[in-house]
Amino acid sequence: MLDNSTNKFQLGLVYLFAILAVIGIGPFIYFRYSQGEISHALLDLAIVSAAVSSAIYARWKGEVTPTILSFAAGFYTLGAIAVVHFNNPIFVFWMFPTILANFFLLRPTQAIFLNLFAIALVVPVAWKLERTLDTFAMMSSLFFVSIMAYLFARLTEGQRKRLEIFASQDPLTLLGNRRSMDLELTLCAEDFARYQIPATLIVFDIDKFKAINDKFGHSLGDKVLVDIGKLVSARLRKTDRAFRFGGEEFVLLVRNTKLEEAAIIAEKIREQILSQINGPKGKITASFGCAAIQPEETCEQWFVRADRAMYQAKEKGRNCVVLAAE
């Protein structure tokens, strides 16, 4: 499953290619047919039909799956190759938009292999150009366009991944931020509604953290936050997620875990913070609240119950774990 932003981009591309196919190739169907070139007209019709069908199917599904993208790229490529072979060598220029389109539809490595395969299949047609120099010029241009598009696609993909990390990660602790927390809580709520998979929120807040910042400066306060972030990351299971909610407040999402089991996890983390994290004037403590998701409960209601339990821990004297009422 593609992430939401990527899926919207790919969905837009599928729609765009369908529109371009209708506008750019559609008229050739009529012209070919009117000139008696039935096979050519049918080929153009197949390409347009594939583009439109992909867009309709993606619209019906509400998302773009890898299968749709692979089908579209493969069909467009085979169609371009067929167009080149059915016409005179000058039609090799149809390969240029196909090569570029593949890098939008597929991952860079997949696209480069598909493009090199396609270039190899049009070599026999390129040899029919009047001069050998023209043949080499045509094939070289196709090859260089594919390589440059590959490098650009790799660069773009790397930048997109970095932007996704920046958009979902707290820059100080490297834990998830509130945006990624909201997404994860929504997924857990959906799993609970459909399959009754339990999940528990553990919210904890560093005790008397404001005094550290006020007396010793934010640099020492940031060090405490970073140390706790590292401790939590090392303690999590593969299915768990950790977030910095804001300031000195942290949230742990423990999947497939009931309230009593989460309380044990919270207690162990509380003990680790007490024994392993040192502040400017000695030990650091934290107050914890735990809440398991309930039927018909929204993510916001779920979080509020865990947050209230954490404040109850503060009222009880801090450095303890409180379970929210079910």
Side-chain angles (χ1 to χ4, degrees):
M1 181 72 65
L2 297 173
D3 63 83
N4 191 47
S5 59
T6 302
N7 181 70
K8 288 182 179 179
F9 175 71
Q10 299 283 25
L11 191 61
L13 285 178
V14 172
Y15 293 158
L16 176 62
F17 289 154
I19 294 172
L20 292 177
V22 171
I23 296 176
I25 303 177
F28 285 95
I29 300 174
Y30 171 77
F31 293 135
R32 299 286 194 188
Y33 181 79
S34 62
Q35 294 176 6
E37 299 177 355
I38 306 300
S39 60
H40 295 74
L42 290 176
L43 176 59
D44 292 339
L45 177 62
I47 295 174
V48 173
S49 299
V52 173
S53 298
S54 297
I56 293 174
Y57 182 74
R59 177 70 176 179
W60 175 67
K61 292 283 290 185
E63 63 178 2
V64 179
T65 64
T67 301
I68 295 175
L69 297 176
S70 298
F71 168 79
F75 201 93
Y76 297 159
T77 302
L78 291 176
I81 294 171
V83 167
V84 172
H85 278 271
F86 284 177
N87 294 278
N88 58 57
I90 196 61
F91 274 76
V92 171
F93 68 78
W94 275 108
M95 295 300 301
F96 288 102
T98 302
I99 285 174
L100 295 176
N102 285 341
F103 284 106
F104 285 100
L105 296 171
L106 303 174
R107 293 191 176 278
T109 302
Q110 295 173 320
I112 191 67
F113 278 113
L114 180 60
N115 287 341
L116 292 177
F117 172 75
I119 291 172
L121 290 183
V122 300
V123 168
V125 178
W127 278 113
K128 297 178 181 179
L129 291 170
E130 294 182 1
R131 298 188 305 167
T132 303
L133 182 62
D134 294 337
T135 299
F136 281 109
M138 177 64 74
M139 301 314 300
S140 295
S141 61
L142 289 174
F143 179 76
F144 284 125
V145 165
S146 188
I147 295 299
M148 294 303 294
Y150 169 75
L151 295 175
F152 177 77
R154 285 297 300 268
L155 177 62
T156 302
E157 185 178 46
Q159 291 176 334
R160 179 181 61 81
K161 289 180 179 179
R162 285 192 290 272
L163 288 174
E164 288 178 354
I165 291 174
F166 293 150
S168 61
Q169 188 179 71
D170 174 58
L172 179 63
T173 63
L174 303 184
L175 301 178
N177 59 15
R178 292 182 63 171
R179 175 179 178 272
S180 60
M181 186 190 79
D182 291 340
L183 294 175
E184 293 286 351
L185 262 60
T186 299
L187 292 175
C188 278
E190 292 174 352
D191 287 342
F192 181 73
R194 294 177 183 174
Y195 313 112
Q196 289 71 55
I197 298 176
T200 301
L201 275 178
I202 301 174
V203 177
F204 72 92
D205 186 271
I206 303 173
D207 296 329
K208 301 180 179 179
F209 183 76
K210 186 176 184 297
I212 297 176
N213 282 334
D214 291 343
K215 292 182 180 180
F216 303 99
H218 287 276
S219 59
L220 287 178
D222 288 349
K223 182 180 183 304
V224 172
L225 295 175
V226 170
D227 290 342
I228 290 181
K230 291 178 180 178
L231 183 152
V232 169
S233 297
R235 181 65 181 78
L236 292 181
R237 302 168 300 181
K238 289 184 178 180
T239 56
D240 298 337
R241 297 292 182 269
F243 314 94
R244 182 187 175 198
F245 184 73
E248 66 273 23
E249 188 170 355
F250 295 81
V251 178
L252 307 182
L253 174 60
V254 286
R255 289 189 172 95
N256 200 23
T257 304
K258 296 182 179 179
L259 184 61
E260 296 76 12
E261 299 168 329
I264 296 174
I265 296 173
E267 182 62 29
K268 289 182 178 179
I269 294 176
R270 185 195 67 79
E271 293 174 353
Q272 284 184 293
I273 291 176
L274 179 61
S275 62
Q276 298 178 20
I277 304 298
N278 293 313
K281 294 189 67 175
K283 298 296 183 179
I284 294 294
T285 64
S287 302
F288 290 73
C290 303
I293 189 169
Q294 299 296 305
E296 307 300 327
E297 185 174 48
T298 66
C299 294
E300 182 179 0
Q301 292 169 336
W302 181 22
F303 176 81
V304 167
R305 286 197 304 113
D307 199 47
R308 285 175 180 172
M310 183 269 292
Y311 278 106
Q312 290 174 10
K314 295 278 190 184
E315 294 170 358
K316 289 180 64 174
R318 301 184 178 89
N319 191 29
C320 61
V321 177
V322 171
L323 307 185
E326 296 188 9

